[in-house]
Amino acid sequence: MLGPEVNSLLTCNGRQLITATMNFRPRLLNAAVIVALLLGPSHADAQTFRVATFNVENYLDQPTSTRHVKSAEAKAKVLESILALKPDVLALQEIGALSTLHELRASLKNDGLDFPYWEFVTGFDTNIHIAALSKFAFTMRRPHTNDNFLLSGRRFRVSRGFAELDIQVTTNYSFTLIVAHLKSRRLIGEADEAELRLEEARLLREKIDARLAIDPAANLVVLGDFNDSKDSASTKAIIGRGKHKLVDTRPAERNGDNASMGRASESRNIAWTHYYAKEDLYSRIDYILLSPGLAREWVTNETCVLAIPNWGVASDHRPLVATFDAQDK
């Protein structure tokens, strides 16, 4: 159940979203009702859906040599954050064992947010993984778990792999989701971290290009923790150039700032997604990117980064959500 301070400060405002799989039960001033009121009037025939991404920071049930077990308090805050966004499809990074994913799914279901479909991808890193939860069925799964590259004469593997899923939203509408968690900015002895991240990004872009080569108008979402800024070589490699360049949704806080006042004003909206304590640095390293085809269905004013009190109890990242019309345009 969301606390009153969360309900009063939810920042992703817009119209209420109702899909075929959502079932709001009327209860006096419960969390679902308050969120619905904050989101605005009902549009039952709007056929919209929401896609979110969240790095949940070491969501582990067993410690490793470098990572701690997620505390009950932190898990509760993760749950609260996801419930506040009410996504239809949720990409996750830094999930521990498969059991932790099922634990999170069960907790969400107990609070009224059911994800019957899930994907869990294991990569070279055996401690943390990427995953996806969905209200909608997967028509195809393409986990990429063994991608590798040569750097300075040495072979490396993509640490967390990539998840690629075809998702059927309605009878007549589907999209492809690609989830990534690129190499962190933590220094390692084997190679330069930025060069490793760039090679991972190039492999990810190959998968994007392969999908768009089959169907240039494909509905494609590429999202997750890319671990670098928008002007970095790795992020630029993912976004690409030319007619298949991806659209950066750049979710920002819905705190009263006007998102339609032009490029200069928009760039000053509060869009950071990650806090790095060592350098006391806030930055935007989590993304939701869209193919040109899907960008036509993007509902810009229902896209945001979540800002709630004590957000940092859950993770060092904040979750992002983007909304789409489930109809090709």
Side-chain angles (χ1 to χ4, degrees):
M1 183 68 70
L2 301 179
E5 72 282 0
V6 175
N7 293 321
S8 63
L9 291 172
L10 282 175
T11 57
C12 195
N13 297 323
R15 66 180 185 267
Q16 181 181 355
L17 306 176
I18 300 180
T19 69
T21 55
M22 295 173 69
N23 178 23
F24 292 119
R25 291 178 295 177
R27 293 180 182 174
L28 182 59
L29 293 181
N30 67 6
V33 171
I34 296 173
V35 169
L37 290 172
L38 284 169
L39 291 175
S42 172
H43 285 253
D45 58 346
Q47 294 285 335
T48 57
F49 64 97
R50 295 160 72 84
V51 178
T53 182
F54 195 4
N55 181 322
V56 290
E57 191 188 15
N58 296 328
Y59 203 101
L60 309 179
D61 56 6
Q62 295 293 328
T64 71
S65 59
T66 58
R67 300 177 187 271
H68 301 290
V69 171
K70 194 78 166 173
S71 69
E73 181 186 18
K75 287 182 177 181
K77 199 68 179 181
V78 167
L79 184 67
E80 179 185 297
S81 300
I82 297 171
L83 291 171
L85 291 178
K86 289 197 175 295
D88 296 297
V89 178
L90 173 64
L92 296 165
Q93 302 89 50
E94 296 203 21
I95 286 287
L98 180 57
S99 58
T100 61
L101 180 65
H102 288 321
E103 173 200 299
L104 178 57
R105 284 181 63 229
S107 297
L108 289 166
K109 185 175 182 179
N110 287 340
D111 279 344
L113 190 56
D114 187 18
F115 292 110
Y117 306 99
W118 57 273
E119 175 75 322
F120 180 81
V121 174
T122 57
F124 183 68
D125 187 333
T126 59
N127 296 318
I128 55 174
H129 309 89
I130 57 175
L133 303 177
S134 177
K135 295 181 180 180
F136 311 122
F138 302 148
T139 57
M140 183 66 71
R141 303 169 188 254
R142 291 179 293 275
H144 304 281
T145 60
N146 294 306
D147 287 280
N148 59 83
F149 54 89
L150 196 63
L151 181 62
S152 302
R154 182 169 180 173
R155 180 89 31 201
F156 293 89
R157 288 178 59 189
V158 176
S159 293
R160 266 80 69 165
F162 307 117
E164 184 176 358
L165 301 159
D166 294 341
I167 302 176
Q168 196 72 39
V169 179
T170 68
T171 303
N172 300 314
Y173 191 90
S174 64
F175 72 98
T176 297
L177 181 82
I178 300 180
V179 185
H181 181 194
L182 300 191
K183 172 70 184 74
S184 74
R185 287 178 283 185
R186 180 175 58 86
L187 300 178
I188 62 173
E190 294 87 348
D192 178 77
E193 45 85 18
E195 292 181 354
L196 290 170
R197 192 162 49 254
L198 176 58
E199 293 301 323
E200 290 187 341
R202 286 170 172 164
L203 287 171
L204 175 57
R205 183 66 212 193
E206 287 180 8
K207 305 190 188 319
I208 297 166
D209 287 336
R211 183 69 184 88
L212 295 177
I214 296 171
D215 180 6
N219 297 323
L220 177 64
V221 182
V222 182
L223 77 177
D225 177 3
F226 298 167
N227 262 315
D228 219 330
S229 65
K230 68 173 184 177
D231 287 327
S232 67
S234 56
T235 303
K236 285 182 175 180
I238 298 168
I239 292 174
R241 296 180 297 176
K243 64 181 181 179
H244 291 161
K245 181 179 180 180
L246 300 183
V247 175
D248 180 5
T249 60
R250 197 181 183 273
E253 290 185 13
R254 290 294 182 254
N255 56 9
D257 288 346
N258 191 336
S260 60
M261 290 178 61
R263 186 178 298 248
S265 295
E266 183 175 330
S267 67
R268 295 174 183 174
N269 289 349
I270 301 173
W272 62 266
T273 66
H274 175 256
Y275 175 66
Y276 184 42
K278 182 179 179 180
E279 297 181 4
D280 193 24
L281 177 67
Y282 294 85
S283 57
R284 185 169 76 98
I285 63 174
D286 303 86
Y287 298 84
I288 300 177
L289 307 178
L290 312 177
S291 65
L294 184 59
R296 290 191 286 268
E297 286 97 73
W298 175 31
V299 183
T300 58
N301 66 343
E302 293 176 12
T303 296
C304 74
V305 57
L306 184 68
I308 59 174
N310 302 313
W311 65 271
V313 174
S315 172
D316 53 350
H317 292 251
R318 299 197 296 179
L320 319 174
V321 67
T323 303
F324 305 92
D325 287 322
Q327 182 177 5
D328 286 309
K329 298 181 179 179

mmCIF file of all heavy atoms in Angstrom, residues 5-43:
data_model
loop_
_atom_site.group_PDB
_atom_site.id
_atom_site.type_symbol
_atom_site.label_atom_id
_atom_site.label_comp_id
_atom_site.label_asym_id
_atom_site.label_seq_id
_atom_site.Cartn_x
_atom_site.Cartn_y
_atom_site.Cartn_z
ATOM 1 N N GLU A 5 2.291 10.212 1.709
ATOM 2 C CA GLU A 5 3.266 11.142 1.171
ATOM 3 C C GLU A 5 3.610 10.790 -0.268
ATOM 4 O O GLU A 5 3.900 11.658 -1.083
ATOM 5 C CB GLU A 5 4.542 11.158 2.030
ATOM 6 C CG GLU A 5 5.431 9.902 1.924
ATOM 7 C CD GLU A 5 4.888 8.723 2.719
ATOM 8 O OE1 GLU A 5 3.831 8.875 3.351
ATOM 9 O OE2 GLU A 5 5.528 7.665 2.703
ATOM 10 N N VAL A 6 3.551 9.507 -0.633
ATOM 11 C CA VAL A 6 3.804 9.104 -2.016
ATOM 12 C C VAL A 6 2.650 9.532 -2.900
ATOM 13 O O VAL A 6 2.835 10.080 -3.981
ATOM 14 C CB VAL A 6 4.000 7.572 -2.096
ATOM 15 C CG1 VAL A 6 4.146 7.148 -3.549
ATOM 16 C CG2 VAL A 6 5.211 7.153 -1.286
ATOM 17 N N ASN A 7 1.442 9.281 -2.425
ATOM 18 C CA ASN A 7 0.269 9.606 -3.221
ATOM 19 C C ASN A 7 0.171 11.095 -3.521
ATOM 20 O O ASN A 7 -0.345 11.496 -4.558
ATOM 21 C CB ASN A 7 -1.000 9.152 -2.496
ATOM 22 C CG ASN A 7 -1.075 7.644 -2.410
ATOM 23 O OD1 ASN A 7 -0.718 6.955 -3.356
ATOM 24 N ND2 ASN A 7 -1.527 7.136 -1.285
ATOM 25 N N SER A 8 0.671 11.918 -2.609
ATOM 26 C CA SER A 8 0.561 13.358 -2.812
ATOM 27 C C SER A 8 1.667 13.904 -3.687
ATOM 28 O O SER A 8 1.566 15.014 -4.177
ATOM 29 C CB SER A 8 0.601 14.075 -1.450
ATOM 30 O OG SER A 8 1.842 13.861 -0.809
ATOM 31 N N LEU A 9 2.727 13.111 -3.928
ATOM 32 C CA LEU A 9 3.870 13.647 -4.650
ATOM 33 C C LEU A 9 4.221 12.854 -5.905
ATOM 34 O O LEU A 9 5.277 13.047 -6.472
ATOM 35 C CB LEU A 9 5.100 13.682 -3.717
ATOM 36 C CG LEU A 9 5.018 14.694 -2.577
ATOM 37 C CD1 LEU A 9 6.179 14.501 -1.634
ATOM 38 C CD2 LEU A 9 5.017 16.108 -3.114
ATOM 39 N N LEU A 10 3.359 11.965 -6.350
ATOM 40 C CA LEU A 10 3.611 11.267 -7.599
ATOM 41 C C LEU A 10 3.786 12.285 -8.708
ATOM 42 O O LEU A 10 3.009 13.216 -8.836
ATOM 43 C CB LEU A 10 2.450 10.327 -7.934
ATOM 44 C CG LEU A 10 2.424 9.005 -7.173
ATOM 45 C CD1 LEU A 10 1.160 8.258 -7.523
ATOM 46 C CD2 LEU A 10 3.635 8.160 -7.507
ATOM 47 N N THR A 11 4.811 12.079 -9.541
ATOM 48 C CA THR A 11 5.149 13.115 -10.514
ATOM 49 C C THR A 11 4.846 12.730 -11.941
ATOM 50 O O THR A 11 5.048 13.518 -12.842
ATOM 51 C CB THR A 11 6.645 13.447 -10.409
ATOM 52 O OG1 THR A 11 7.392 12.245 -10.608
ATOM 53 C CG2 THR A 11 6.963 14.036 -9.063
ATOM 54 N N CYS A 12 4.392 11.527 -12.201
ATOM 55 C CA CYS A 12 4.087 11.144 -13.579
ATOM 56 C C CYS A 12 2.608 11.334 -13.820
ATOM 57 O O CYS A 12 1.817 10.406 -13.701
ATOM 58 C CB CYS A 12 4.491 9.696 -13.832
ATOM 59 S SG CYS A 12 4.547 9.279 -15.573
ATOM 60 N N ASN A 13 2.213 12.561 -14.097
ATOM 61 C CA ASN A 13 0.800 12.894 -14.215
ATOM 62 C C ASN A 13 0.327 12.783 -15.652
ATOM 63 O O ASN A 13 1.082 12.900 -16.592
ATOM 64 C CB ASN A 13 0.558 14.323 -13.724
ATOM 65 C CG ASN A 13 0.906 14.458 -12.270
ATOM 66 O OD1 ASN A 13 0.670 13.555 -11.496
ATOM 67 N ND2 ASN A 13 1.501 15.589 -11.908
ATOM 68 N N GLY A 14 -0.974 12.613 -15.814
ATOM 69 C CA GLY A 14 -1.570 12.474 -17.137
ATOM 70 C C GLY A 14 -2.912 11.808 -16.978
ATOM 71 O O GLY A 14 -3.441 11.683 -15.882
ATOM 72 N N ARG A 15 -3.480 11.307 -18.088
ATOM 73 C CA ARG A 15 -4.785 10.676 -17.974
ATOM 74 C C ARG A 15 -4.646 9.264 -17.413
ATOM 75 O O ARG A 15 -3.595 8.650 -17.480
ATOM 76 C CB ARG A 15 -5.481 10.643 -19.334
ATOM 77 C CG ARG A 15 -4.805 9.764 -20.381
ATOM 78 C CD ARG A 15 -5.610 9.849 -21.667
ATOM 79 N NE ARG A 15 -5.089 8.957 -22.678
ATOM 80 C CZ ARG A 15 -4.213 9.301 -23.592
ATOM 81 N NH1 ARG A 15 -3.715 10.521 -23.585
ATOM 82 N NH2 ARG A 15 -3.805 8.446 -24.509
ATOM 83 N N GLN A 16 -5.736 8.750 -16.897
ATOM 84 C CA GLN A 16 -5.743 7.406 -16.344
ATOM 85 C C GLN A 16 -5.558 6.392 -17.459
ATOM 86 O O GLN A 16 -6.076 6.534 -18.546
ATOM 87 C CB GLN A 16 -7.071 7.119 -15.646
ATOM 88 C CG GLN A 16 -7.134 5.725 -15.010
ATOM 89 C CD GLN A 16 -8.464 5.489 -14.366
ATOM 90 O OE1 GLN A 16 -9.279 6.394 -14.318
ATOM 91 N NE2 GLN A 16 -8.692 4.296 -13.879
ATOM 92 N N LEU A 17 -4.780 5.345 -17.177
ATOM 93 C CA LEU A 17 -4.509 4.326 -18.159
ATOM 94 C C LEU A 17 -5.250 3.068 -17.783
ATOM 95 O O LEU A 17 -5.089 2.550 -16.688
ATOM 96 C CB LEU A 17 -3.004 4.036 -18.214
ATOM 97 C CG LEU A 17 -2.130 5.265 -18.452
ATOM 98 C CD1 LEU A 17 -0.672 4.872 -18.378
ATOM 99 C CD2 LEU A 17 -2.447 5.882 -19.790
ATOM 100 N N ILE A 18 -6.068 2.549 -18.697
ATOM 101 C CA ILE A 18 -6.798 1.323 -18.434
ATOM 102 C C ILE A 18 -6.554 0.376 -19.584
ATOM 103 O O ILE A 18 -6.793 0.721 -20.732
ATOM 104 C CB ILE A 18 -8.304 1.574 -18.284
ATOM 105 C CG1 ILE A 18 -8.542 2.534 -17.106
ATOM 106 C CG2 ILE A 18 -9.057 0.276 -18.086
ATOM 107 C CD1 ILE A 18 -9.991 2.841 -16.882
ATOM 108 N N THR A 19 -6.036 -0.810 -19.284
ATOM 109 C CA THR A 19 -5.836 -1.819 -20.302
ATOM 110 C C THR A 19 -6.732 -2.987 -19.991
ATOM 111 O O THR A 19 -7.344 -3.080 -18.934
ATOM 112 C CB THR A 19 -4.380 -2.295 -20.334
ATOM 113 O OG1 THR A 19 -4.126 -3.036 -19.141
ATOM 114 C CG2 THR A 19 -3.411 -1.126 -20.407
ATOM 115 N N ALA A 20 -6.770 -3.929 -20.907
ATOM 116 C CA ALA A 20 -7.652 -5.074 -20.745
ATOM 117 C C ALA A 20 -7.290 -5.921 -19.545
ATOM 118 O O ALA A 20 -8.101 -6.666 -19.023
ATOM 119 C CB ALA A 20 -7.623 -5.934 -22.013
ATOM 120 N N THR A 21 -6.031 -5.802 -19.092
ATOM 121 C CA THR A 21 -5.587 -6.656 -18.002
ATOM 122 C C THR A 21 -5.685 -5.986 -16.643
ATOM 123 O O THR A 21 -5.393 -6.596 -15.633
ATOM 124 C CB THR A 21 -4.138 -7.078 -18.230
ATOM 125 O OG1 THR A 21 -3.356 -5.902 -18.398
ATOM 126 C CG2 THR A 21 -4.022 -7.953 -19.461
ATOM 127 N N MET A 22 -6.047 -4.689 -16.598
ATOM 128 C CA MET A 22 -6.099 -3.977 -15.330
ATOM 129 C C MET A 22 -7.509 -4.055 -14.749
ATOM 130 O O MET A 22 -8.493 -3.937 -15.460
ATOM 131 C CB MET A 22 -5.693 -2.514 -15.520
ATOM 132 C CG MET A 22 -4.244 -2.356 -15.944
ATOM 133 S SD MET A 22 -3.819 -0.667 -16.347
ATOM 134 C CE MET A 22 -3.899 0.086 -14.748
ATOM 135 N N ASN A 23 -7.576 -4.222 -13.435
ATOM 136 C CA ASN A 23 -8.871 -4.341 -12.771
ATOM 137 C C ASN A 23 -8.834 -3.525 -11.494
ATOM 138 O O ASN A 23 -8.293 -3.952 -10.492
ATOM 139 C CB ASN A 23 -9.162 -5.825 -12.457
ATOM 140 C CG ASN A 23 -10.482 -5.988 -11.717
ATOM 141 O OD1 ASN A 23 -11.348 -5.125 -11.804
ATOM 142 N ND2 ASN A 23 -10.627 -7.078 -11.006
ATOM 143 N N PHE A 24 -9.349 -2.304 -11.547
ATOM 144 C CA PHE A 24 -9.381 -1.453 -10.370
ATOM 145 C C PHE A 24 -10.641 -1.745 -9.565
ATOM 146 O O PHE A 24 -11.755 -1.559 -10.053
ATOM 147 C CB PHE A 24 -9.382 0.031 -10.773
ATOM 148 C CG PHE A 24 -8.109 0.469 -11.399
ATOM 149 C CD1 PHE A 24 -8.087 0.956 -12.701
ATOM 150 C CD2 PHE A 24 -6.923 0.396 -10.701
ATOM 151 C CE1 PHE A 24 -6.917 1.368 -13.270
ATOM 152 C CE2 PHE A 24 -5.749 0.820 -11.271
ATOM 153 C CZ PHE A 24 -5.742 1.298 -12.559
ATOM 154 N N ARG A 25 -10.486 -2.177 -8.340
ATOM 155 C CA ARG A 25 -11.632 -2.422 -7.475
ATOM 156 C C ARG A 25 -11.907 -1.181 -6.638
ATOM 157 O O ARG A 25 -11.006 -0.618 -6.029
ATOM 158 C CB ARG A 25 -11.345 -3.607 -6.551
ATOM 159 C CG ARG A 25 -11.271 -4.939 -7.304
ATOM 160 C CD ARG A 25 -10.951 -6.061 -6.351
ATOM 161 N NE ARG A 25 -9.627 -5.888 -5.797
ATOM 162 C CZ ARG A 25 -9.113 -6.710 -4.881
ATOM 163 N NH1 ARG A 25 -9.824 -7.721 -4.413
ATOM 164 N NH2 ARG A 25 -7.902 -6.514 -4.433
ATOM 165 N N PRO A 26 -13.155 -0.721 -6.577
ATOM 166 C CA PRO A 26 -13.441 0.517 -5.852
ATOM 167 C C PRO A 26 -13.286 0.341 -4.349
ATOM 168 O O PRO A 26 -13.952 -0.469 -3.733
ATOM 169 C CB PRO A 26 -14.905 0.800 -6.226
ATOM 170 C CG PRO A 26 -15.477 -0.527 -6.598
ATOM 171 C CD PRO A 26 -14.354 -1.297 -7.212
ATOM 172 N N ARG A 27 -12.352 1.092 -3.797
ATOM 173 C CA ARG A 27 -12.188 1.148 -2.352
ATOM 174 C C ARG A 27 -11.988 2.606 -1.985
ATOM 175 O O ARG A 27 -11.318 3.339 -2.702
ATOM 176 C CB ARG A 27 -10.954 0.341 -1.887
ATOM 177 C CG ARG A 27 -11.081 -1.166 -2.094
ATOM 178 C CD ARG A 27 -9.826 -1.865 -1.614
ATOM 179 N NE ARG A 27 -9.868 -3.287 -1.825
ATOM 180 C CZ ARG A 27 -8.854 -4.093 -1.590
ATOM 181 N NH1 ARG A 27 -7.720 -3.620 -1.141
ATOM 182 N NH2 ARG A 27 -8.967 -5.393 -1.815
ATOM 183 N N LEU A 28 -12.502 2.986 -0.876
ATOM 184 C CA LEU A 28 -12.473 4.389 -0.475
ATOM 185 C C LEU A 28 -11.038 4.844 -0.257
ATOM 186 O O LEU A 28 -10.341 4.377 0.645
ATOM 187 C CB LEU A 28 -13.285 4.575 0.810
ATOM 188 C CG LEU A 28 -13.391 6.020 1.327
ATOM 189 C CD1 LEU A 28 -14.043 6.903 0.263
ATOM 190 C CD2 LEU A 28 -14.155 6.046 2.636
ATOM 191 N N LEU A 29 -10.573 5.737 -1.142
ATOM 192 C CA LEU A 29 -9.260 6.373 -1.026
ATOM 193 C C LEU A 29 -8.122 5.376 -0.884
ATOM 194 O O LEU A 29 -7.137 5.646 -0.212
ATOM 195 C CB LEU A 29 -9.253 7.349 0.177
ATOM 196 C CG LEU A 29 -10.154 8.564 0.040
ATOM 197 C CD1 LEU A 29 -10.039 9.462 1.254
ATOM 198 C CD2 LEU A 29 -9.821 9.358 -1.220
ATOM 199 N N ASN A 30 -8.222 4.212 -1.530
ATOM 200 C CA ASN A 30 -7.079 3.319 -1.502
ATOM 201 C C ASN A 30 -6.051 3.784 -2.518
ATOM 202 O O ASN A 30 -6.247 4.747 -3.243
ATOM 203 C CB ASN A 30 -7.486 1.862 -1.742
ATOM 204 C CG ASN A 30 -8.001 1.617 -3.143
ATOM 205 O OD1 ASN A 30 -7.953 2.500 -3.985
ATOM 206 N ND2 ASN A 30 -8.491 0.423 -3.369
ATOM 207 N N ALA A 31 -4.894 3.092 -2.583
ATOM 208 C CA ALA A 31 -3.789 3.561 -3.420
ATOM 209 C C ALA A 31 -4.174 3.617 -4.882
ATOM 210 O O ALA A 31 -3.831 4.561 -5.595
ATOM 211 C CB ALA A 31 -2.575 2.632 -3.233
ATOM 212 N N ALA A 32 -4.894 2.597 -5.367
ATOM 213 C CA ALA A 32 -5.257 2.576 -6.785
ATOM 214 C C ALA A 32 -6.146 3.757 -7.149
ATOM 215 O O ALA A 32 -5.982 4.378 -8.193
ATOM 216 C CB ALA A 32 -5.970 1.261 -7.126
ATOM 217 N N VAL A 33 -7.082 4.079 -6.258
ATOM 218 C CA VAL A 33 -7.985 5.198 -6.528
ATOM 219 C C VAL A 33 -7.221 6.516 -6.535
ATOM 220 O O VAL A 33 -7.422 7.370 -7.400
ATOM 221 C CB VAL A 33 -9.118 5.232 -5.477
ATOM 222 C CG1 VAL A 33 -9.930 6.517 -5.613
ATOM 223 C CG2 VAL A 33 -10.022 4.019 -5.643
ATOM 224 N N ILE A 34 -6.329 6.693 -5.561
ATOM 225 C CA ILE A 34 -5.581 7.948 -5.479
ATOM 226 C C ILE A 34 -4.683 8.125 -6.691
ATOM 227 O O ILE A 34 -4.602 9.206 -7.275
ATOM 228 C CB ILE A 34 -4.762 7.998 -4.174
ATOM 229 C CG1 ILE A 34 -5.727 8.011 -2.981
ATOM 230 C CG2 ILE A 34 -3.863 9.215 -4.146
ATOM 231 C CD1 ILE A 34 -5.048 7.899 -1.636
ATOM 232 N N VAL A 35 -3.997 7.032 -7.106
ATOM 233 C CA VAL A 35 -3.156 7.113 -8.293
ATOM 234 C C VAL A 35 -3.993 7.462 -9.507
ATOM 235 O O VAL A 35 -3.626 8.293 -10.334
ATOM 236 C CB VAL A 35 -2.395 5.788 -8.518
ATOM 237 C CG1 VAL A 35 -1.728 5.785 -9.892
ATOM 238 C CG2 VAL A 35 -1.366 5.587 -7.426
ATOM 239 N N ALA A 36 -5.187 6.842 -9.623
ATOM 240 C CA ALA A 36 -6.067 7.127 -10.755
ATOM 241 C C ALA A 36 -6.487 8.588 -10.766
ATOM 242 O O ALA A 36 -6.548 9.230 -11.822
ATOM 243 C CB ALA A 36 -7.295 6.223 -10.703
ATOM 244 N N LEU A 37 -6.782 9.142 -9.591
ATOM 245 C CA LEU A 37 -7.168 10.548 -9.507
ATOM 246 C C LEU A 37 -6.021 11.449 -9.935
ATOM 247 O O LEU A 37 -6.211 12.445 -10.629
ATOM 248 C CB LEU A 37 -7.614 10.889 -8.082
ATOM 249 C CG LEU A 37 -8.956 10.279 -7.638
ATOM 250 C CD1 LEU A 37 -9.171 10.532 -6.150
ATOM 251 C CD2 LEU A 37 -10.109 10.844 -8.461
ATOM 252 N N LEU A 38 -4.805 11.083 -9.515
ATOM 253 C CA LEU A 38 -3.651 11.872 -9.892
ATOM 254 C C LEU A 38 -3.410 11.818 -11.390
ATOM 255 O O LEU A 38 -2.974 12.793 -11.996
ATOM 256 C CB LEU A 38 -2.408 11.367 -9.153
ATOM 257 C CG LEU A 38 -2.313 11.756 -7.671
ATOM 258 C CD1 LEU A 38 -1.197 10.976 -7.005
ATOM 259 C CD2 LEU A 38 -2.059 13.244 -7.529
ATOM 260 N N LEU A 39 -3.708 10.681 -11.998
ATOM 261 C CA LEU A 39 -3.462 10.526 -13.418
ATOM 262 C C LEU A 39 -4.526 11.194 -14.275
ATOM 263 O O LEU A 39 -4.348 11.354 -15.472
ATOM 264 C CB LEU A 39 -3.357 9.038 -13.782
ATOM 265 C CG LEU A 39 -2.116 8.324 -13.242
ATOM 266 C CD1 LEU A 39 -2.178 6.845 -13.564
ATOM 267 C CD2 LEU A 39 -0.851 8.937 -13.818
ATOM 268 N N GLY A 40 -5.658 11.548 -13.690
ATOM 269 C CA GLY A 40 -6.639 12.320 -14.434
ATOM 270 C C GLY A 40 -7.844 11.501 -14.847
ATOM 271 O O GLY A 40 -8.043 10.385 -14.389
ATOM 272 N N PRO A 41 -8.680 12.034 -15.742
ATOM 273 C CA PRO A 41 -9.925 11.387 -16.117
ATOM 274 C C PRO A 41 -9.702 10.105 -16.884
ATOM 275 O O PRO A 41 -8.686 9.905 -17.526
ATOM 276 C CB PRO A 41 -10.614 12.440 -17.003
ATOM 277 C CG PRO A 41 -9.496 13.278 -17.521
ATOM 278 C CD PRO A 41 -8.476 13.320 -16.427
ATOM 279 N N SER A 42 -10.706 9.226 -16.828
ATOM 280 C CA SER A 42 -10.608 7.910 -17.442
ATOM 281 C C SER A 42 -10.744 7.978 -18.958
ATOM 282 O O SER A 42 -11.530 8.727 -19.496
ATOM 283 C CB SER A 42 -11.710 7.010 -16.876
ATOM 284 O OG SER A 42 -11.770 5.792 -17.570
ATOM 285 N N HIS A 43 -9.936 7.153 -19.633
ATOM 286 C CA HIS A 43 -10.037 6.986 -21.069
ATOM 287 C C HIS A 43 -10.013 5.492 -21.347
ATOM 288 O O HIS A 43 -9.024 4.932 -21.802
ATOM 289 C CB HIS A 43 -8.875 7.683 -21.791
ATOM 290 C CG HIS A 43 -9.005 9.165 -21.833
ATOM 291 N ND1 HIS A 43 -9.322 9.866 -22.964
ATOM 292 C CD2 HIS A 43 -8.879 10.091 -20.849
ATOM 293 C CE1 HIS A 43 -9.368 11.165 -22.707
ATOM 294 N NE2 HIS A 43 -9.101 11.326 -21.433
#
